[in-house]
Every structure is written in C-alpha cells, then in structure tokens.
Amino acid sequence: MRNTTPNTPSDLFVIGGGINGCGIARDAAGRGLSVTLAEMGDLASATSSASTKLFHGGLRYLEYLEVRLVHEALVEREVLLRAMPHISWPMRFVLPYHKDMRFESETPVSKMLGLAMPWMKGRRPAWLIRMGLFMYDHLGGRKILPGTATLSLKGTKEGAPLQARFERAYEYSDCWVEDSRLVVLNARDAEARGATIMTRTKVTHAQRDGALWRIETEDAETSAKATHYAKMLINAGGPWVGDVIHDKIDLPSREGVRLVRGSHIVTRRLYDHDKCYFFQGSDGRIIFAIPYERDFTLIGTTDAEHENPDRRPVCTPEEQAYLINFANQYFAKAISAEDVVWTYSGVRPLYDDGASSATAATRDYTLKVDATGGAPVLNVFGGKITTYRRLAESALEKIGAHITLKSGPWTAGVAMPGGDFPVDGFDALVQSLNRKYPFLGAVWARRLVRAYGTEAEALLGDATCAADLGRGFGATLTEAEVIWLMRQEFARTAEDVVWRRTKLGLRLSEEEISALDGWMASRRERADAAE
Ligand SMILES: Cc1cc2nc3c(=O)[nH]c(=O)nc-3n(C[C@H](O)[C@H](O)[C@H](O)COP(=O)(O)OP(=O)(O)OC[C@H]3O[C@@H](n4cnc5c(N)ncnc54)[C@H](O)[C@@H]3O)c2cc1C
C-alpha cells in the first residue's frame, strides 16, 4: 500500500468502492493522478451488485422527458459493450401490448396527453409506445444493436409463456451487464494504473488540514486505524453520500439524497427462450422478467422509500407478493412464493429533486464540488450503472479545475481486463478455450469466458484435467479460480466469491459455501502471516 503523509499526499482519496467510486478511480489513475480508494465492505457490496444489471437507455424515463439521460445512456450502451464483450451482451426486450395499459398519471407526458386528449387520461396508447420506441431507436446512434420490431405473439416462442389475451408485442434492444464484475474490473484496472484499492476499510472521519484532506480509516477486520492525506476528496458513498457529508466530513451542505429501495426475485427458469419481457402494470409501473444464469428467471424491480442506509435492504414479503402478482398478470402459468429461489435488494442513492414519488425521482446524476473551506470535495449523487463511465469523465472535468490532469478523456474504447476481443467474438473464444482445455466442456468454458474473457487462460494455466485446478468446491468452482479471485480480484470471503465475483451461490449448498469460507479463511491467515 502507498503510504500518504502531509508531504506525500494522494491527489485523490475516493470514499466508496461501488461503480461510481471505482469508475472515477480508474479514469483518474489513467490520467496520471495518484489515487487511494477506501471501501468499507467488499467492492460492490452495496447498490452496485443489486441492480437489474442492464446497460439501458431507460425507456420509461422518456415519459419523464429525461431526454439528456436517455440519450447519454443509449450512446453509452455500445461504448461499454465493445469494451467488455465478456461481461456484457445484447438482449432483446419483448413488450406485450394490451389496450388496458395504464400510465403513472403524474408523468409529464401523461399530464400533457391528459390535457390535449382528455379521453386518453391515464391510458398508454399503442401509438405513444411506438413513438417512444422510435425515439429510443434513434436517440442513441445504434451500430451493433438491432432496432425495434413488431411481433405477433400467436403461435410464437415469445407468446408461448404469456396469457392468450396478449396478441401483439413490440421488441427492442438493450444490454445485460454483470454489475458486480464490472465494479471489480474497474478496481483492478485502476490498481494496474497505480491506484491503491483498500477494501474492508471504513472512512470514519475526514477534515480539512490546510490545502489537504486528513482522512481517518478503520480496518473492518482488524480494527487497525490509519491516517491518509489527499489534495481532493471524492465522496462516492452511494446510499451513504449524505452520511459522509454530514457525519464523516461535517460539511454544511444542503444537497440531499433520496433512498429508494428496489428488490428482485429469482425463480427457476420460467420460459425457454433468451429474450426478456418488459411488463407494464395497472399502477403505471413497469417490471422486467429476464433470463438469468442459464437456469433461472430474474423479476424486478420495486420502488420503496428506504430511510436509513445502515438498514440492510431486503426484499420484504410485500415486495415479493407485488412482483409475483405483477408477473401473474402476464404469464399463463401463475407463479407463487414457492417458485422463488432467491431475492436481493438494493438502495438507489437518488439526487433529491423534490419529486412526488420514488418512481418519479430523477435517475440522472449530479456532481457537486465544495471548495469553500480549503481543500475541495466532490460529492456524487445518483447515477446509473450505464452512465458510470460518463459520470467519471464529468467528475474528472470538475477535478481538473483543482488538480492538473496529465491527459484528457481516455476510457471510451479501452477494453476492460479480459475484454480485449471482438464484440461478436464470444462464441469463438469459448470454442478456443474448449479446444485448449477439453476437460472443461461447453457449460464450464462458457461460464469462465463470461466471467474472465481472454484472462480465462491465465486462470487455468497449464492444467490438463480438472484435478490440476486443485480442490473442487462444487458447481465447477475450483481452488485455482478461488485463488485467482483472492489474488487478482480482492475477494476475501465465500460471500464475495459466490454472490458477487460469480453467482454460484444459486447452485452451491449452504454446506459447500461454508466449506469454501473455511478454506478461504485459512488461506487468508497463511497469507497475512507471510506478509
Ligand atoms: C434495484 C435497482 C436496480 C437498478 N438497475 C439498474 C440498471 O438496470 N441499470 C443501471 O444502469 N442502473 C441501475 N441501478 C442504479 C445503479 O445500481 C446505481 O446507480 C449504482 O450502483 C450506484 O453506484 P454507487 O457507486 O454510487 O453506489 P454503491 O454501489 O452503493 O457504492 C457506494 C459504496 O460506498 C461505500 N461506503 C459508504 N460509506 C463509506 C465509508 N464511510 N467508508 C468507506 N466506504 C463507504 C459503501 O460500502 C458502498 O459499497 C439500479 C439500482 C437499484 C437499487
């Protein structure tokens, strides 16, 4: 770890190892700044592993006239897809249409329509959806992703899982992304470019000390305390952004964050094709049903106010029932609580724009610099996984007003670790890995390429059979992979491995996870003793 003193401060000290903190750290390190990042838990342990996992423009935001956000996000989808074709891929979304579909009545578009055509009040007519999709197709300058199509649902694979009353649908494109892996890859790349990444390290206090920040941290595992110095502080605390402002750095800021919980349920696979569904509810909200981890379906999300960031978000029985009932308005075969194999929940740290409902609060980001009392601090509010790279560029623009940057924006077009292969080269990479390591078989090879891309070979080394990869922990997770995750990807516990670096928690038993945890703990102890 690089030690910072008043004589050798970092340029930046980043609080928060979610997507925004890690994205800013990577961009800044690549421009020659010295960066230290502290994350109190694991990387992506809060909101950035609990999203719907879409690189998307956000079709529904058009109803809120968030055109800037939608435009930026649509353009960004393909920039990101090219940089990480292993952890991100195109998906088609099927939006079944029925004439009873309803708006959330408070959206600007709904209000305008109600004024111009009072008989349409509260309705979401087909022509309006087509208009929205036309904008969605054309705002983002697509080159890779196919445009909108109209589908007949009768007798088709897309119609098969749905109730017969749905006869027509629209289909459009967005992308999937493995959110927690995206965060880790940003952190790794930041580290490779010189940043210091500290996980399980909580910032307990920071105060201005002349032209510098003096930052106090505490190690969550050993309780060891440390002091760091930096020229500028970046508050990317996500749901804790307000807590950092008011309780950790004592800033007299009036900016507020609005915490909105969103929950998902995961069921066994509900249908046999690889497209997603976009369902519109009678309450004007929308949810997605998405093919997930080959054998499962992901359904979400909800919007619920969440008062306290320290209260761990969980999918409440009410939210679970809401999602089940919502999906049952569409699927022919009703699902029930017994079909749910896993749930997860996250808290959106939205900029408080005074919107009436949680659904209506802006999903755009806001960056605020405070330099009134000496050394500057940048507070990050809101944002999407999709716009993290652009958010980081905007942050660097603000940072550049206080610290000289050695170069300009650089991250567009630069591959993430393991993502240096063509955007349509995934299948070829799986085949080539399978040729070199025939013992893997198709399913295992696919999983490894999805996670590690071109780095899968480095992980496997010169193994010629599964036994060469060491102990097996179940579901194709081997000692070699766990060691890779501990050495290269900051993993410390079984939870880091089975719920964030991978989603093998869906396939491993509690006993297997606990055995993995024990093995990792003893390896950690040996490594710590050797240091
Ligand atoms: C249900 C849901 C669905 C979503 N779906 C999508 C989607 O499909 N597509 C999309 O683009 N976006 C989506 N989003 C939005 C996206 O997930 C968030 O905007 C993004 O993850 C926020 O990242 P962040 O880095 O700001 O916050 P976080 O990921 O929460 O990171 C902040 C980090 O700061 C750390 N921290 C806080 N205080 C301290 C301290 N004192 N010391 C050290 N560390 C600290 C926390 O531990 C945390 O890890 C969704 C969000 C939710 C909740």
Side-chain angles (χ1 to χ4, degrees), residues 186-219:
N186 270 280
R188 270 189 62 196
D189 206 47
E191 187 179 58
R193 294 171 198 277
T196 299
I197 307 290
M198 304 183 296
T199 62
R200 270 94 185 176
T201 304
K202 182 172 187 166
V203 171
T204 52
H205 187 66
Q207 71 186 65
R208 288 173 165 127
D209 190 344
L212 297 179
W213 281 96
R214 179 190 153 98
I215 304 125
E216 312 293 343
T217 60
E218 186 174 314
D219 187 310

Short mmCIF file of all heavy atoms in Angstrom, two decimals, residues 186-219:
data_model
loop_
_atom_site.label_atom_id
_atom_site.label_comp_id
_atom_site.label_asym_id
_atom_site.label_seq_id
_atom_site.Cartn_x
_atom_site.Cartn_y
_atom_site.Cartn_z
N ASN A 186 -13.17 -2.56 -12.91
CA ASN A 186 -12.73 -1.16 -12.83
C ASN A 186 -11.69 -0.98 -11.73
O ASN A 186 -10.70 -0.27 -11.91
CB ASN A 186 -13.94 -0.24 -12.57
CG ASN A 186 -14.57 0.23 -13.86
OD1 ASN A 186 -14.08 1.17 -14.50
ND2 ASN A 186 -15.63 -0.43 -14.28
N ALA A 187 -11.92 -1.63 -10.59
CA ALA A 187 -10.97 -1.51 -9.48
C ALA A 187 -9.62 -2.11 -9.87
O ALA A 187 -8.56 -1.55 -9.60
CB ALA A 187 -11.52 -2.20 -8.23
N ARG A 188 -9.67 -3.29 -10.53
CA ARG A 188 -8.41 -3.93 -10.96
C ARG A 188 -7.65 -3.05 -11.93
O ARG A 188 -6.44 -2.90 -11.84
CB ARG A 188 -8.75 -5.24 -11.68
CG ARG A 188 -8.82 -6.41 -10.77
CD ARG A 188 -8.92 -7.68 -11.58
NE ARG A 188 -7.74 -7.87 -12.42
CZ ARG A 188 -7.70 -8.72 -13.43
NH1 ARG A 188 -8.75 -9.43 -13.74
NH2 ARG A 188 -6.60 -8.86 -14.13
N ASP A 189 -8.39 -2.48 -12.88
CA ASP A 189 -7.73 -1.66 -13.89
C ASP A 189 -7.16 -0.39 -13.25
O ASP A 189 -6.07 0.06 -13.60
CB ASP A 189 -8.71 -1.31 -15.01
CG ASP A 189 -7.97 -1.04 -16.31
OD1 ASP A 189 -7.09 -1.84 -16.66
OD2 ASP A 189 -8.24 -0.01 -16.95
N ALA A 190 -7.90 0.16 -12.27
CA ALA A 190 -7.40 1.34 -11.56
C ALA A 190 -6.10 0.96 -10.85
O ALA A 190 -5.11 1.70 -10.89
CB ALA A 190 -8.44 1.82 -10.55
N GLU A 191 -6.10 -0.21 -10.20
CA GLU A 191 -4.90 -0.65 -9.48
C GLU A 191 -3.73 -0.85 -10.45
O GLU A 191 -2.60 -0.42 -10.19
CB GLU A 191 -5.19 -1.95 -8.73
CG GLU A 191 -4.05 -2.38 -7.83
CD GLU A 191 -4.35 -3.66 -7.08
OE1 GLU A 191 -4.62 -4.69 -7.72
OE2 GLU A 191 -4.33 -3.65 -5.84
N ALA A 192 -4.04 -1.46 -11.61
CA ALA A 192 -2.98 -1.68 -12.60
C ALA A 192 -2.39 -0.35 -13.08
O ALA A 192 -1.25 -0.29 -13.51
CB ALA A 192 -3.54 -2.46 -13.79
N ARG A 193 -3.17 0.71 -12.99
CA ARG A 193 -2.69 2.04 -13.41
C ARG A 193 -2.16 2.85 -12.22
O ARG A 193 -2.03 4.07 -12.30
CB ARG A 193 -3.82 2.79 -14.13
CG ARG A 193 -4.20 2.14 -15.44
CD ARG A 193 -5.44 2.74 -16.06
NE ARG A 193 -6.00 1.85 -17.07
CZ ARG A 193 -5.59 1.75 -18.33
NH1 ARG A 193 -4.64 2.55 -18.75
NH2 ARG A 193 -6.13 0.89 -19.16
N GLY A 194 -1.97 2.18 -11.10
CA GLY A 194 -1.26 2.82 -9.99
C GLY A 194 -2.11 3.17 -8.78
O GLY A 194 -1.56 3.62 -7.76
N ALA A 195 -3.43 2.97 -8.83
CA ALA A 195 -4.27 3.33 -7.67
C ALA A 195 -4.07 2.32 -6.54
O ALA A 195 -3.74 1.16 -6.77
CB ALA A 195 -5.74 3.34 -8.09
N THR A 196 -4.30 2.80 -5.31
CA THR A 196 -4.32 1.90 -4.15
C THR A 196 -5.78 1.62 -3.81
O THR A 196 -6.56 2.56 -3.60
CB THR A 196 -3.64 2.58 -2.95
OG1 THR A 196 -2.29 2.84 -3.30
CG2 THR A 196 -3.69 1.70 -1.71
N ILE A 197 -6.16 0.34 -3.80
CA ILE A 197 -7.56 -0.02 -3.52
C ILE A 197 -7.59 -0.72 -2.17
O ILE A 197 -6.94 -1.77 -1.99
CB ILE A 197 -8.11 -0.98 -4.61
CG1 ILE A 197 -7.90 -0.42 -6.03
CG2 ILE A 197 -9.56 -1.35 -4.35
CD1 ILE A 197 -8.74 0.77 -6.39
N MET A 198 -8.31 -0.16 -1.21
CA MET A 198 -8.40 -0.78 0.12
C MET A 198 -9.85 -1.20 0.36
O MET A 198 -10.73 -0.34 0.38
CB MET A 198 -8.00 0.24 1.20
CG MET A 198 -6.61 0.85 0.98
SD MET A 198 -6.13 1.98 2.31
CE MET A 198 -7.34 3.28 2.16
N THR A 199 -10.08 -2.51 0.51
CA THR A 199 -11.44 -2.94 0.85
C THR A 199 -11.50 -3.17 2.36
O THR A 199 -10.48 -3.18 3.04
CB THR A 199 -11.84 -4.22 0.09
OG1 THR A 199 -10.96 -5.26 0.48
CG2 THR A 199 -11.75 -4.01 -1.42
N ARG A 200 -12.73 -3.38 2.85
CA ARG A 200 -12.94 -3.55 4.31
C ARG A 200 -12.24 -2.43 5.08
O ARG A 200 -11.64 -2.65 6.13
CB ARG A 200 -12.41 -4.91 4.76
CG ARG A 200 -13.45 -6.00 4.71
CD ARG A 200 -13.46 -6.79 3.48
NE ARG A 200 -14.58 -7.74 3.50
CZ ARG A 200 -14.88 -8.52 2.49
NH1 ARG A 200 -14.20 -8.46 1.37
NH2 ARG A 200 -15.90 -9.33 2.55
N THR A 201 -12.30 -1.22 4.55
CA THR A 201 -11.65 -0.07 5.17
C THR A 201 -12.65 1.08 5.21
O THR A 201 -13.00 1.64 4.18
CB THR A 201 -10.41 0.35 4.34
OG1 THR A 201 -9.55 -0.79 4.20
CG2 THR A 201 -9.65 1.48 4.99
N LYS A 202 -13.10 1.39 6.41
CA LYS A 202 -14.14 2.41 6.55
C LYS A 202 -13.52 3.78 6.81
O LYS A 202 -12.61 3.90 7.63
CB LYS A 202 -15.05 2.03 7.72
CG LYS A 202 -16.20 2.99 7.92
CD LYS A 202 -17.16 2.45 8.96
CE LYS A 202 -18.39 3.33 9.01
NZ LYS A 202 -19.48 2.72 9.72
N VAL A 203 -14.02 4.79 6.13
CA VAL A 203 -13.61 6.16 6.44
C VAL A 203 -14.46 6.61 7.63
O VAL A 203 -15.69 6.65 7.55
CB VAL A 203 -13.82 7.09 5.23
CG1 VAL A 203 -13.60 8.54 5.63
CG2 VAL A 203 -12.89 6.70 4.10
N THR A 204 -13.79 6.87 8.75
CA THR A 204 -14.54 7.23 9.96
C THR A 204 -14.63 8.74 10.13
O THR A 204 -15.54 9.24 10.79
CB THR A 204 -13.87 6.61 11.20
OG1 THR A 204 -12.48 6.98 11.18
CG2 THR A 204 -14.02 5.10 11.21
N HIS A 205 -13.66 9.46 9.53
CA HIS A 205 -13.65 10.91 9.71
C HIS A 205 -12.72 11.52 8.67
O HIS A 205 -11.72 10.91 8.30
CB HIS A 205 -13.15 11.27 11.11
CG HIS A 205 -13.27 12.72 11.42
ND1 HIS A 205 -14.48 13.36 11.54
CD2 HIS A 205 -12.33 13.67 11.61
CE1 HIS A 205 -14.28 14.64 11.80
NE2 HIS A 205 -12.98 14.86 11.85
N ALA A 206 -13.05 12.71 8.21
CA ALA A 206 -12.11 13.43 7.33
C ALA A 206 -12.26 14.91 7.62
O ALA A 206 -13.38 15.40 7.82
CB ALA A 206 -12.42 13.14 5.86
N GLN A 207 -11.14 15.60 7.67
CA GLN A 207 -11.24 17.05 7.88
C GLN A 207 -10.17 17.78 7.09
O GLN A 207 -9.12 17.22 6.76
CB GLN A 207 -11.15 17.41 9.36
CG GLN A 207 -9.79 17.23 9.96
CD GLN A 207 -9.83 17.47 11.46
OE1 GLN A 207 -10.48 16.72 12.19
NE2 GLN A 207 -9.15 18.50 11.91
N ARG A 208 -10.48 19.02 6.77
CA ARG A 208 -9.53 19.82 6.02
C ARG A 208 -8.35 20.17 6.92
O ARG A 208 -8.54 20.52 8.08
CB ARG A 208 -10.20 21.08 5.48
CG ARG A 208 -11.16 20.74 4.34
CD ARG A 208 -11.94 21.94 3.92
NE ARG A 208 -12.58 21.70 2.64
CZ ARG A 208 -13.88 21.87 2.42
NH1 ARG A 208 -14.67 22.28 3.39
NH2 ARG A 208 -14.38 21.65 1.23
N ASP A 209 -7.16 20.07 6.33
CA ASP A 209 -5.94 20.39 7.07
C ASP A 209 -5.15 21.28 6.12
O ASP A 209 -4.37 20.79 5.31
CB ASP A 209 -5.23 19.04 7.35
CG ASP A 209 -4.08 19.21 8.31
OD1 ASP A 209 -3.65 20.36 8.51
OD2 ASP A 209 -3.58 18.19 8.83
N GLY A 210 -5.46 22.57 6.14
CA GLY A 210 -4.86 23.50 5.17
C GLY A 210 -5.33 23.15 3.77
O GLY A 210 -6.53 23.00 3.54
N ALA A 211 -4.37 22.95 2.86
CA ALA A 211 -4.74 22.66 1.47
C ALA A 211 -5.00 21.17 1.25
O ALA A 211 -5.22 20.73 0.12
CB ALA A 211 -3.63 23.13 0.55
N LEU A 212 -4.96 20.39 2.33
CA LEU A 212 -5.13 18.94 2.19
C LEU A 212 -6.34 18.44 2.98
O LEU A 212 -6.86 19.14 3.84
CB LEU A 212 -3.88 18.21 2.73
CG LEU A 212 -2.56 18.47 2.03
CD1 LEU A 212 -1.45 17.68 2.72
CD2 LEU A 212 -2.63 18.10 0.55
N TRP A 213 -6.74 17.20 2.66
CA TRP A 213 -7.69 16.48 3.50
C TRP A 213 -6.90 15.50 4.37
O TRP A 213 -5.98 14.85 3.87
CB TRP A 213 -8.68 15.69 2.65
CG TRP A 213 -9.78 16.53 2.09
CD1 TRP A 213 -9.83 17.09 0.86
CD2 TRP A 213 -10.99 16.90 2.76
NE1 TRP A 213 -10.99 17.80 0.70
CE2 TRP A 213 -11.73 17.70 1.86
CE3 TRP A 213 -11.51 16.65 4.04
CZ2 TRP A 213 -12.96 18.25 2.19
CZ3 TRP A 213 -12.75 17.19 4.36
CH2 TRP A 213 -13.46 17.98 3.45
N ARG A 214 -7.27 15.42 5.63
CA ARG A 214 -6.70 14.40 6.52
C ARG A 214 -7.83 13.40 6.77
O ARG A 214 -8.91 13.77 7.26
CB ARG A 214 -6.28 15.09 7.83
CG ARG A 214 -5.69 14.20 8.87
CD ARG A 214 -5.58 15.00 10.18
NE ARG A 214 -5.65 14.07 11.28
CZ ARG A 214 -4.58 13.61 11.93
NH1 ARG A 214 -3.40 14.05 11.62
NH2 ARG A 214 -4.71 12.73 12.90
N ILE A 215 -7.59 12.15 6.40
CA ILE A 215 -8.67 11.16 6.40
C ILE A 215 -8.32 10.03 7.36
O ILE A 215 -7.22 9.46 7.30
CB ILE A 215 -8.86 10.58 4.97
CG1 ILE A 215 -9.14 11.72 3.98
CG2 ILE A 215 -9.97 9.56 4.91
CD1 ILE A 215 -8.21 11.76 2.82
N GLU A 216 -9.27 9.70 8.23
CA GLU A 216 -9.04 8.61 9.20
C GLU A 216 -9.82 7.38 8.72
O GLU A 216 -10.99 7.48 8.36
CB GLU A 216 -9.59 8.98 10.59
CG GLU A 216 -9.19 10.35 11.11
CD GLU A 216 -7.70 10.46 11.40
OE1 GLU A 216 -7.03 9.40 11.50
OE2 GLU A 216 -7.20 11.59 11.49
N THR A 217 -9.15 6.23 8.73
CA THR A 217 -9.84 4.99 8.34
C THR A 217 -9.69 3.93 9.42
O THR A 217 -8.79 3.99 10.26
CB THR A 217 -9.25 4.41 7.03
OG1 THR A 217 -7.86 4.13 7.23
CG2 THR A 217 -9.43 5.34 5.86
N GLU A 218 -10.60 2.95 9.36
CA GLU A 218 -10.53 1.82 10.29
C GLU A 218 -10.71 0.53 9.50
O GLU A 218 -11.63 0.43 8.68
CB GLU A 218 -11.63 1.95 11.35
CG GLU A 218 -11.51 0.89 12.41
CD GLU A 218 -12.51 1.11 13.54
OE1 GLU A 218 -12.65 2.26 14.02
OE2 GLU A 218 -13.15 0.11 13.92
N ASP A 219 -9.82 -0.42 9.75
CA ASP A 219 -9.89 -1.72 9.09
C ASP A 219 -11.03 -2.53 9.71
O ASP A 219 -11.04 -2.76 10.92
CB ASP A 219 -8.54 -2.43 9.26
CG ASP A 219 -8.46 -3.72 8.46
OD1 ASP A 219 -9.41 -4.55 8.57
OD2 ASP A 219 -7.48 -3.90 7.74
#
